Amino acid sequence: VPLRRVNQRYCIGTSTKVDLKGADYKSVDDKYFARAAEKKKGKSEEAFFSAESAKSQMPQEKKDGQKKMEEPIVKGLAADMKSYLKARFSLSANMYPHELKF
C-alpha cells in the first residue's frame, strides 16, 4: 500500500492502537508527497486523439523506502489486526461516525 497523504474528512478516528516503534519516518515530510512538476505541452489534435497517455510512476527509491518503513510495523501486527486494517469500511444511511464504537 503506498504511503500517501489523506484528507482528514476521509479518516475516522478509532481506539485501535498500532505500534510504530522501529520504523524510521524521518524522511517523510511535505516534499515527500509533492508531485513532480511537468511542463505543459502545447495542445494539438494528434495529442488529443493519441491512445498513449503518460502515467507517472513512483520512483524505485520511494518504493524501497516504503517497504523499509512498513516492514517493522507489519511484523508487529497480529493476524486479526491485519485483516481489520485491510477491511473496506463505508457508512450507510442513518450511520453516524460519532456514534460508532470501534
Side-chain angles (χ1 to χ4, degrees):
V1 176
L3 183 65
R4 64 179 65 179
R5 179 170 286 171
V6 178
N7 191 327
Q8 290 179 351
R9 287 185 171 253
Y10 302 113
C11 297
I12 296 177
T14 67
S15 60
T16 304
K17 305 273 189 247
V18 175
D19 186 22
L20 298 178
K21 293 180 183 173
D24 183 25
Y25 291 103
K26 292 179 183 176
S27 63
V28 179
D29 56 1
D30 288 338
K31 292 178 185 175
Y32 183 85
F33 295 105
R35 294 184 181 178
E38 294 181 12
K39 190 172 184 178
K40 293 188 177 182
K41 300 173 185 171
K43 296 181 181 179
S44 68
E45 188 174 334
E46 293 83 23
F48 183 78
F49 289 108
S50 68
E52 292 184 25
S53 61
K55 291 191 175 189
S56 61
Q57 296 291 328
M58 190 183 324
Q60 188 62 35
E61 62 185 33
K62 268 194 176 182
K63 290 180 184 179
D64 295 339
Q66 286 185 4
K67 287 181 184 178
K68 183 180 168 187
M69 286 185 255
E70 288 176 350
E71 192 173 320
I73 296 171
V74 173
K75 284 183 180 179
L77 294 176
D80 60 339
M81 181 60 73
K82 288 180 188 177
S83 63
Y84 170 74
L85 293 173
K86 287 181 182 179
R88 183 176 282 280
F89 177 80
S90 64
L91 294 173
S92 59
N94 299 326
M95 287 179 69
Y96 304 104
H98 61 279
E99 293 177 350
L100 299 175
K101 176 68 177 157
F102 295 96

